Amino acid sequence: MANEMHLSQLAQEYPASGIRKMFNLAAQYPNAIKLTVGEPNFDTPEYIKDAAKKGLDDNLTHYTPNAGIPELREAVAEKYRRLYWDGYKADNVIVTMGAMEGITLSLMFLLDPGDEILVPDPCFPNYYGQARIVGAKAVPVPTYEQYDYRMQAADMEKTITPKTRAILLNSPCNPTGAVLTKEDVLAIAELVKKYNLWVLTDEPYDAIIYDGVTPFSIAQIPEVRDRVFVLNSFSKAYAMTGWRIGYVVAPDLSYAGRMAQIREGLSSCQPGFLQMAAVEALKSDSCVKDMVKDYTRRRDILIDGINSIPGMSCKKSAGSFYAFANIKAFSKTSQEFAEELLRGAEVVTVPGSAFGEMGEGYLRLVFANSDENLKEAVRRIKEYVEKTYPDMK
């Protein structure tokens, strides 16, 4: 019988997605407003789609190099020469199946079974699963609302053990919208030097920022750059989530070459016509700026609305398209309260506990949605709370 067959420890223990759990529950409420799935509510810009169509017409449908086509690798390298360091070359870049494969590939390259990597808490929950795939352990570093959920070097140092080999930074952060300051990053860099650590900096939301904030990457610090792997994708900034195009910028050409060899056993390569579309995407960021203008307005609609609801409070996100709302006043677990809002208000949110222990007492809401849906979601939640909790301040 199948249920008597042995399953791997990984298969039995790979963490289930709390995001998908709410997504599945919401299927019972067809009129619910879904503020759950972290992707742009825009279609991919036409000029990018046109480039993919041209690639198909040009028969770019055969195998490509494991590390990616030269045109895309050079386009990515040029971006980071302009932003971070003028020494990056095309051969530093490995094209991947989204940033997720980039994370997995980097962990396979850097960590052995039993090694530890520090991750923010709360964080994108797949960090734990990807570490487990390689037999390593993701160790949570608590982040706090009083520091706008930014990882602090002092808290990181408390979690470092002899098994710690790397840290994973995510700025802007999913789920909190936190953006590390230059001072934060400089302090973290001192730990990197002190403990001889690798760094993965996961930056898919780097173009989605607000209020004049300028992200600062640890890859911009010369003293530690040789230990930093930059991870990014086209998914969030260019509304290309389903295209699955990402990349790793490795600090050393030999590292990139070895990682490309490992990639042969993962997904081999990305289709040429998709990569040519990504090349075209990088030629302009005007579409990204237009989307960020809409996100800015929608952020304010949602977060200002949340802050008008008794018992709920939410800081303005510095980046990403996530709001992280404090619901501790209701004395419910975040899972209980998320399900309560689904049943009572027909608004789907994600419990903060889905992102780690420090997410308990919070909800993640996605404001990559229409103005009308966001206003209606706020109206529904406010009406439900005022009716159900009349004494809530």
Side-chain angles (χ1 to χ4, degrees), residues 35 37 41 51 59 72 74 81 94 129 132 143 155 165 204 223 225 232 243 300 324 331 353 359-360:
L35 306 181
V37 180
N41 64 313
N59 294 310
L72 181 52
E74 174 55 33
R81 283 197 295 270
I94 309 100
R132 185 164 290 181
T143 64
D155 296 314
R165 296 289 178 267
E223 294 81 5
R225 187 181 293 121
N232 211 325
W243 296 62
D300 294 344
F324 206 57
S331 300
S353 56
E360 186 56 85

Side-chain angles (χ1 to χ4, degrees), residues 5-317:
M5 298 295 290
H6 172 76
L7 299 178
S8 73
Q9 189 172 349
L10 173 66
Q12 297 177 58
E13 297 180 358
Y14 193 90
S17 169
I19 304 170
R20 287 290 174 182
K21 180 177 181 180
M22 291 305 299
F23 194 79
N24 293 336
L25 283 173
Q28 304 170 36
Y29 299 84
N31 296 318
I33 297 174
K34 299 177 178 64
L35 306 181
T36 48
V37 180
E39 71 172 337
N41 64 313
F42 299 101
D43 291 326
T44 304
E46 289 299 323
Y47 79 101
I48 301 173
K49 292 191 286 187
D50 288 343
K53 294 172 188 175
K54 183 178 185 303
L56 283 170
D57 290 339
D58 292 342
N59 294 310
L60 301 180
T61 57
H62 301 279
Y63 287 132
T64 60
N66 298 137
I69 62 173
E71 297 93 330
L72 181 52
R73 298 175 75 196
E74 174 55 33
V76 171
E78 194 283 326
K79 169 185 173 178
Y80 286 95
R81 283 197 295 270
R82 177 167 41 87
L83 295 176
Y84 290 179
W85 177 50
D86 62 8
Y88 283 124
K89 297 178 173 61
D91 286 344
N92 289 95
V93 179
I94 309 100
V95 178
T96 59
M97 187 176 289
M100 180 58 62
E101 187 192 21
I103 293 170
T104 307
L105 184 64
S106 300
L107 294 174
M108 292 175 73
F109 182 71
L110 296 174
L111 302 184
D112 286 318
D115 287 345
E116 295 178 351
I117 181 169
L118 307 185
V119 300
D121 182 7
C123 73
F124 180 49
N126 288 44
Y127 292 158
Y128 292 95
Q130 302 316 100
R132 185 164 290 181
I133 284 175
V134 301
K137 180 182 179 182
V139 177
V141 176
T143 64
Y144 300 93
E145 188 172 353
Q146 71 185 89
Y147 298 117
D148 299 325
Y149 313 106
R150 305 187 323 268
M151 287 181 84
Q152 299 296 296
D155 296 314
M156 295 177 69
E157 189 160 24
K158 294 175 186 175
T159 62
I160 291 174
T161 74
K163 295 182 179 180
T164 307
R165 296 289 178 267
I167 60 175
L168 198 162
L169 306 178
N170 179 214
S171 176
C173 179
N174 174 13
T176 63
V179 176
L180 295 173
T181 67
K182 183 175 182 179
E183 291 71 25
D184 295 333
V185 176
L186 289 171
I188 292 169
E190 290 302 311
L191 291 184
V192 171
K193 290 188 288 185
K194 181 178 178 180
Y195 293 98
N196 195 29
L197 302 175
W198 294 107
V199 182
L200 279 64
T201 177
D202 187 23
E203 304 179 358
Y205 301 94
D206 61 340
I208 305 174
I209 50 176
Y210 310 104
D211 306 326
V213 170
T214 301
F216 185 81
S217 175
I218 196 166
Q220 294 173 256
I221 302 176
E223 294 81 5
V224 296
R225 187 181 293 121
D226 62 345
R227 308 175 193 192
V228 177
F229 292 74
V230 181
L231 309 162
N232 211 325
S233 81
F234 292 82
S235 294
K236 312 298 183 178
Y238 288 92
M240 294 173 67
T241 52
W243 296 62
R244 309 313 303 138
I245 295 284
Y247 53 85
V248 180
V249 183
D252 187 276
L253 302 184
S254 67
Y255 298 166
R258 293 181 191 178
M259 292 175 76
Q261 290 175 350
I262 297 173
R263 185 166 190 251
E264 168 67 27
L266 287 178
S267 60
S268 181
C269 62
Q270 291 299 88
F273 67 94
L274 296 183
Q275 293 189 63
M276 286 305 297
V279 172
E280 195 67 23
L282 286 175
K283 292 180 180 179
S284 173
D285 64 354
S286 60
C287 62
V288 180
K289 291 178 178 177
D290 288 343
M291 286 186 268
V292 171
K293 286 180 184 177
D294 284 335
Y295 292 144
T296 303
R297 183 181 68 255
R298 292 164 179 174
R299 176 193 68 154
D300 294 344
I301 289 171
L302 181 62
I303 293 180
D304 290 347
I306 289 171
N307 285 325
S308 74
I309 299 171
M312 298 182 70
S313 64
C314 189
K315 291 198 168 188
K316 283 287 177 77
S317 309

